[in-house]
Amino acid sequence: MVVTTDVLDDPENHISTYRDFGELYGQNISWLTAFIHKKISNYSEAEDIAQDVFERLIRKKYHQHTHEPIVFQGNLRAFISTIAKGIIIDSWRKKELERKYLEYVADLQHQDAVDCCDDISEVVDAIFTLDQMLRALDDDIRHTFILSNLYGKTYAEIAQQLGINERKVKAYMAKAMLHCMKMRTRLDLDQLD
Amino acid sequence: MPSPINDEILEQAAHWYVTLQDEQCTDEERQKWQKWLSEHTDHEKAWKIVEQIHGEFSSLHQLAQHDHEKDAITQSLMTEHKINRRDLFGIVGILFLGGAIGFQQRETIYIGYLRTRGSEYTSLGVQQHLTSPSGFEYWLNTQTIIRQSSDFAIELLLGEIFIKANAPLRQALHISSHQVNLSSEQAQFGIRQQGNHVILAVLYGTVKLLNQSGQHIVLKAGQQIRATAHTLGAVQTLQTYQYSWIKGILAADNMPLQQWADEMQRYHDQKIKISADASQYRVVGLFPVNDLPQALAMLSNVLPVRSQTSGWNGILIDTVQP
């Protein structure tokens, strides 16, 4: 049961309390699915995204060790739909990455993209993850990191290819790794255990 | 919950990573790195993160073995996308909230959405039967979310799961919930999350349960227990309804009518209410969980009750006046 305390009619002061995650889920899943479905035409994809939202919400609360009851202050619907938006954007971005990747492969191979790759979902997943981690880095730093990790090039080779000195390559490598590590530790999603 | 590793240690780890990646790395440096690694558990934790990040590339390395594929990946990662994130937020912002997303929220979204892999879910009134390549079967009950972090580890985030491992597994299967951790090598058992507790019901084999406070118990076939993060209830005899749902059935054995309604409610949108008079009854019988009209008709056959629609989207079960 939701107890909503309405103070001065300001949505920021709403407090929603749920007995457990089951209740939170049960009372919010249908409007959220409908809401997402309005924005993206595919219903089963809308269902997937709605589930994803709750998975994140529960994991987040879980890792904060927030046990019963579950309390939200502020506009819960706005909060939940904001998370949904993030996921919708990511799903778009993933599609965009997939399209781009197929284009590039086709270009480089001079043949039809559809013929060449039967299952690229794993590759696209991996590109997406790396893209999230590396996107904020400057081009040269990102490129350095990719050349080293994906092609296994030595620092000397990278320095030559990018026209910079080795000292700089090392500095870029450290910067890129540190950035990725910070992204990871803040994430809390992939726990180290 | 792992405590955050401080930035200085992350910097040291990044430095060692750069050193070790260098083909000119000397034995002396490797020994220094080993020493650093063993100095503090946080050093080890930080190094694990380095390995994970390196691992993201390694998996891609295996997937894309041809140079043209690597080149395509590089191009994908190096190209600015036509729709950049700010534009996307613009579009979506207008669509959703009229553009009212603060900078802070943007950052949260940006960082928070590396997609989690390996999760499964079920919607209202849906049971799903799945088979794991690791040698066990599992069922998800209505409104359940799980995350499978590895072949032998499942995190139950919401709802109820039933595991069937009739033959010994290669290694123990671990199920974790907010409150407890379970492990078993060969068993049929169900775990259900309800409020701040879980109910573990074992049909076959044995299951170890450990709660957050470190209390533990080994449950055998025919037993069930209720546990919270900090308490263990008494071991009880297994009740059939704890696992009959995998066949789509609610097995009521002298079950109070209110509990029957609560159980059926899990699968249905309509609000099921019991009148005060009717709540004195107890129910015996097998009811289809996904067919409410049928279940209600069956209920009227075994008890002097009838159901009627009540209000908007509700059903009231009341006694039949003699």
Side-chain angles (χ1 to χ4, degrees):
Chain A
M1 171 158 187
V2 192
V3 183
T4 303
T5 322
D6 195 349
V7 185
L8 299 173
D9 212 23
D10 178 356
E12 291 304 313
N13 288 327
H14 278 291
I15 294 175
S16 325
T17 307
Y18 294 93
R19 193 181 57 232
D20 57 20
F21 290 122
E23 195 179 63
L24 169 70
Y25 178 93
Q27 293 190 2
N28 292 288
I29 187 72
S30 12
W31 73 259
L32 182 65
T33 311
F35 174 87
I36 297 166
H37 188 210
K38 269 190 219 159
K39 312 301 168 198
I40 58 167
S41 49
N42 182 332
Y43 187 76
S44 75
E45 203 180 322
E47 269 190 316
D48 283 351
I49 291 173
Q51 296 299 328
D52 222 11
V53 171
F54 279 97
E55 194 186 319
R56 285 164 207 282
L57 212 58
I58 292 168
R59 288 180 65 79
K60 202 173 162 165
K61 285 269 167 189
Y62 173 18
H63 289 305
Q64 286 169 355
H65 276 220
T66 322
H67 287 308
E68 311 330 299
I70 302 158
V71 180
F72 286 98
Q73 184 169 10
N75 189 337
L76 179 63
R77 284 200 176 206
F79 176 66
I80 289 178
S81 38
T82 304
I83 299 176
K85 273 183 296 198
I87 299 174
I88 291 172
I89 292 165
D90 278 354
S91 74
W92 290 355
R93 194 170 180 90
K94 206 168 194 172
K95 278 181 197 154
E96 174 74 6
L97 275 171
E98 179 170 350
R99 198 181 57 76
K100 279 261 171 65
Y101 175 73
L102 284 174
E103 257 177 43
Y104 292 137
V105 173
D107 279 358
L108 294 163
Q109 233 187 6
H110 306 293
Q111 58 170 265
D112 195 39
V114 188
D115 287 346
C116 79
C117 323
D118 25 19
D119 186 21
I120 62 149
S121 67
E122 272 186 279
V123 177
V124 174
D125 274 353
I127 297 175
F128 178 74
T129 308
L130 290 174
D131 183 59
Q132 295 253 10
M133 288 203 293
L134 305 177
R135 199 187 309 151
L137 293 168
D138 289 345
D139 281 2
D140 271 357
I141 300 179
R142 200 174 347 148
H143 206 175
T144 302
F145 204 56
I146 294 168
L147 288 174
S148 168
N149 277 296
L150 191 61
Y151 295 84
K153 294 202 174 186
T154 66
Y155 295 161
E157 285 167 339
I158 297 168
Q160 199 184 4
Q161 185 172 342
L162 298 182
I164 51 178
N165 64 38
E166 261 191 72
R167 186 188 290 266
K168 199 142 210 179
V169 171
K170 286 184 190 175
Y172 284 174
M173 288 292 289
K175 204 165 182 183
M177 181 47 90
L178 184 63
H179 171 79
C180 292
M181 292 176 84
K182 284 183 175 170
M183 292 281 288
R184 275 241 160 195
T185 46
R186 277 181 206 150
L187 222 92
D188 250 10
L189 284 174
D190 294 292
Q191 291 293 308
L192 287 174
D193 295 325
Chain B
M1 186 171 172
S3 53
I5 303 163
N6 75 44
D7 283 3
E8 206 179 314
I9 294 176
L10 295 181
E11 272 169 37
Q12 290 167 4
H15 159 79
W16 281 118
Y17 163 74
V18 175
T19 307
L20 295 175
Q21 279 280 96
D22 194 342
E23 40 167 30
Q24 286 161 17
C25 173
T26 62
D27 281 348
E28 193 189 336
E29 277 170 323
R30 260 189 215 104
Q31 279 161 14
K32 274 193 200 163
W33 163 70
Q34 283 286 352
K35 186 170 171 289
W36 172 83
L37 204 57
S38 58
E39 266 166 15
H40 197 282
T41 51
D42 275 359
H43 293 185
E44 229 173 283
K45 281 186 197 162
W47 193 253
K48 260 198 175 156
I49 302 172
V50 169
E51 283 175 342
Q52 281 178 346
I53 291 159
H54 191 69
E56 297 281 356
F57 277 102
S58 306
S59 61
L60 203 49
H61 206 89
Q62 283 170 353
L63 291 167
Q65 289 176 349
H66 301 288
D67 269 355
H68 70 268
E69 285 167 328
K70 282 181 193 162
D71 291 347
I73 291 166
T74 307
Q75 285 185 24
S76 306
L77 290 171
M78 291 307 297
T79 314
E80 277 305 312
H81 301 285
K82 267 183 211 140
I83 318 168
N84 71 35
R85 200 162 187 100
R86 196 166 304 160
D87 289 340
L88 279 177
F89 269 107
I91 295 161
V92 176
I94 291 157
L95 284 174
F96 287 80
L97 280 184
I101 312 166
F103 177 73
Q104 233 177 341
Q105 274 171 308
R106 263 188 225 179
E107 280 302 294
T108 318
I109 295 166
Y110 178 75
I111 293 171
Y113 294 105
L114 290 189
R115 210 187 145 71
T116 49
R117 269 167 273 178
S119 36
E120 303 274 355
Y121 68 87
T122 50
S123 307
L124 180 73
V126 176
Q127 287 103 11
Q128 204 180 355
H129 177 205
L130 299 145
T131 304
S132 158
S134 312
F136 59 91
E137 293 173 70
Y138 56 107
W139 285 259
L140 306 181
N141 205 354
T142 174
Q143 297 194 328
T144 293
I145 304 179
I146 61 156
R147 183 168 189 257
Q148 201 162 359
S149 42
S150 73
D151 289 350
F152 291 94
I154 293 175
E155 193 179 350
L156 176 66
L157 294 167
L158 183 75
E160 184 171 19
I161 184 172
F162 187 87
I163 309 282
K164 181 175 165 188
N166 281 352
L169 296 170
R170 232 175 28 250
Q171 64 181 84
L173 173 66
H174 292 270
I175 315 272
S176 59
S177 80
H178 310 175
Q179 298 87 359
V180 299
N181 288 302
L182 307 175
S183 65
S184 180
E185 277 159 19
Q186 184 179 9
Q188 290 183 21
F189 64 101
I191 173 131
R192 171 176 176 182
Q193 256 182 354
Q194 217 178 348
N196 67 347
H197 68 269
V198 292
I199 292 174
L200 166 66
V202 182
L203 188 59
Y204 164 76
T206 56
V207 180
K208 278 182 218 158
L209 179 150
L210 173 72
N211 72 5
Q212 274 185 20
S213 292
Q215 297 168 306
H216 54 89
I217 189 165
V218 176
L219 223 58
K220 298 192 197 79
Q223 296 181 327
Q224 69 178 53
I225 194 169
R226 182 186 157 118
T228 70
H230 308 293
T231 61
L232 293 184
V235 175
Q236 294 177 320
T237 309
L238 176 68
Q239 284 172 298
T240 314
Y241 78 92
Q242 299 289 3
Y243 60 87
S244 62
W245 61 267
I246 66 170
K247 305 276 186 206
I249 285 166
L250 171 62
D253 183 5
N254 213 21
M255 185 183 271
L257 189 54
Q258 184 58 55
Q259 191 186 354
W260 183 91
D262 291 342
E263 288 298 318
M264 290 302 291
Q265 186 69 70
R266 299 173 67 197
Y267 307 91
H268 301 282
D269 198 22
Q270 283 171 296
K271 190 84 196 131
I272 308 168
K273 286 172 275 189
I274 307 287
S275 76
D277 280 352
S279 64
Q280 59 179 309
Y281 292 121
R282 284 173 173 269
V283 193
V284 177
L286 305 178
F287 301 86
V289 294
N290 290 321
D291 189 344
L292 190 55
Q294 175 69 19
L296 289 169
M298 289 163 72
L299 191 69
S300 310
N301 284 337
V302 293
L303 291 177
V305 295
R306 62 170 179 188
S307 52
Q308 62 198 66
T309 52
S310 145
W312 180 76
N313 202 28
I315 286 171
L316 177 70
I317 299 172
D318 201 357
T319 48
V320 180
Q321 300 307 322

